[in-house]
Amino acid sequence: MNIQKVLSTLARDLPVMYEHSVVGLLTDADGRVTGVEVEGPEGRSTIESDLVVACDGVMSPVRQMAGLEAKVTELSDASLTFMSPEPVGTSFKMEYFADGGHIGLLGWPEGSAGWRSIDRMGAEKALAPGLDAIKKMWIDLIPESEPGVSALTSLDQIRYGEPKIMSCPRWWTPGVVIIGDSAHFFGPETGVSSGLGLGDAHALAQAIMQNRDDPDAACASYETWRAPVIRPYEATDPGLSRMMGASGEPRPEEMWPPPSG
Ligand SMILES: Cc1cc2nc3c(=O)[nH]c(=O)nc-3n(C[C@H](O)[C@H](O)[C@H](O)COP(=O)(O)OP(=O)(O)OC[C@H]3O[C@@H](n4cnc5c(N)ncnc54)[C@H](O)[C@@H]3O)c2cc1C
């Protein structure tokens, strides 16, 4: 199923406004959020609501505008990723290194992407071996990546990153609640974020059903029942502590940059 089918299925029977961004929050005299200001092709307009549900990703503008605190934790690993317009013959593959690092491949009908963990060393050093060395490393470690990796033509398609995880002590303030990645962001190994985000939406819908006329009570109930699901994932994120392999040392072919000579 491609992304358009998923999006149109999710939007069925819902009043969706495309090409609009939330650019501000409306508040009453007590500071309670009472809606949003949006910007679209025809300019700015406002939408009033009893509860603004922000599901706007890890950088969540709504979270920031609402003043909800986000705690960011640096991970010890960095990452090297690629994005290719060429598909591969598999949707997912992941392998662990002898030192507990990992490498993976994602495939979809229109392209592919890969990631691997490396030590934090800065983009310059990580990319210094060059495109051909990066392609060889990926194909050696995950042969299924070959069609996607071979289609890469520029180092611009490779990205060095230093992943961080993010958690929020509070998920709501009167009139606004954050769910999904806007409320919690895990490391690249956790692999549960979509499911947890959908679970957030489901749990919030249940809390609203049980507190139809009281958005604050709905949010308080949501936080009470959802925290025991989310907080343990935050506390045990695999990115916080590597599970070492038998030797604790990477095999030579897993090292990055590759050993010289
Ligand atoms: C490479 C990679 C691999 C992953 N693999 C997995 C996996 O295997 N399993 C898994 O469960 N999860 C995985 N994830 C995580 C998963 O993709 C996210 O957890 C999920 O997409 C979060 O959904 P979300 O709706 O909370 O946020 P997002 O998907 O970030 O959606 C937020 C949306 O809000 C919109 N937005 C932002 N600001 C505004 C604004 N001001 N106004 C209007 N709209 C706005 C954005 O355009 C975006 O469409 C992976 C992520 C990456 C990057």
Side-chain angles (χ1 to χ4, degrees):
M1 187 182 274
N2 68 31
I3 186 76
Q4 273 315 323
K5 281 189 189 156
V6 174
L7 293 177
S8 55
T9 304
L10 290 173
R12 197 174 56 211
D13 303 329
L14 286 174
V16 180
M17 289 169 71
Y18 293 102
E19 296 181 47
H20 284 72
S21 297
V22 174
V23 292
L25 295 178
L26 311 177
T27 50
D28 66 14
D30 299 326
R32 178 184 187 84
V33 173
T34 56
V36 292
E37 184 177 15
V38 298
E39 190 168 78
E42 279 91 45
R44 292 195 174 198
S45 56
T46 56
I47 304 170
E48 296 193 357
S49 71
D50 294 327
L51 182 61
V52 174
V53 179
C55 189
D56 50 354
V58 64
M59 301 307 290
S60 180
V62 170
R63 181 186 71 228
Q64 294 174 38
M65 288 187 269
L68 284 163
E69 183 191 356
K71 290 189 169 169
V72 175
T73 306
E74 304 268 347
L75 297 182
S76 51
D77 283 336
S79 67
L80 212 54
T81 55
F82 76 80
M83 181 85 86
S84 168
E86 192 64 37
V88 290
T90 183
S91 58
F92 183 83
K93 177 140 191 207
M94 184 173 177
E95 300 282 356
Y96 277 93
F97 300 147
D99 70 345
H102 49 96
I103 183 165
L105 175 69
L106 294 170
W108 59 91
E110 298 88 6
S112 55
W115 80 91
R116 67 157 290 166
S117 57
I118 58 174
D119 291 339
R120 289 163 74 102
M121 60 185 76
E124 197 176 331
K125 187 171 176 192
L127 300 175
L131 186 59
D132 288 342
I134 291 172
K135 289 174 156 183
K136 178 176 175 347
M137 171 272 292
W138 237 294
I139 294 168
D140 285 351
L141 293 172
I142 300 204
E144 293 89 336
S145 68
E146 202 270 331
V149 170
S150 296
L152 300 174
T153 55
S154 159
L155 266 184
D156 291 342
Q157 293 161 292
I158 314 287
R159 184 174 176 275
Y160 168 85
E162 295 186 348
K164 302 172 179 65
I165 58 177
M166 189 273 299
S167 71
C168 299
R170 293 294 315 273
W171 292 332
W172 69 283
T173 188
V176 57
V177 59
I178 51 176
I179 64 171
D181 277 15
S182 66
H184 38 72
F185 190 74
F186 301 95
E189 275 172 282
T190 314
V192 291
S193 302
S194 300
L196 291 180
L198 287 169
D200 287 356
H202 191 243
L204 181 62
Q206 292 288 329
I208 292 171
M209 268 171 52
Q210 289 165 10
N211 299 275
R212 285 176 183 275
D213 302 320
D214 189 342
D216 291 356
C219 290
S221 167
Y222 168 73
E223 197 165 52
T224 299
W225 289 101
R226 197 62 185 153
V229 176
I230 299 295
R231 299 302 186 199
Y233 283 103
E234 293 181 329
T236 57
D237 193 287
L240 292 170
S241 56
R242 265 192 194 178
M243 287 186 291
M244 298 303 243
S247 68
E249 294 293 327
R251 300 177 193 98
E253 67 272 22
E254 297 167 352
M255 291 178 179
W256 195 261
S260 49

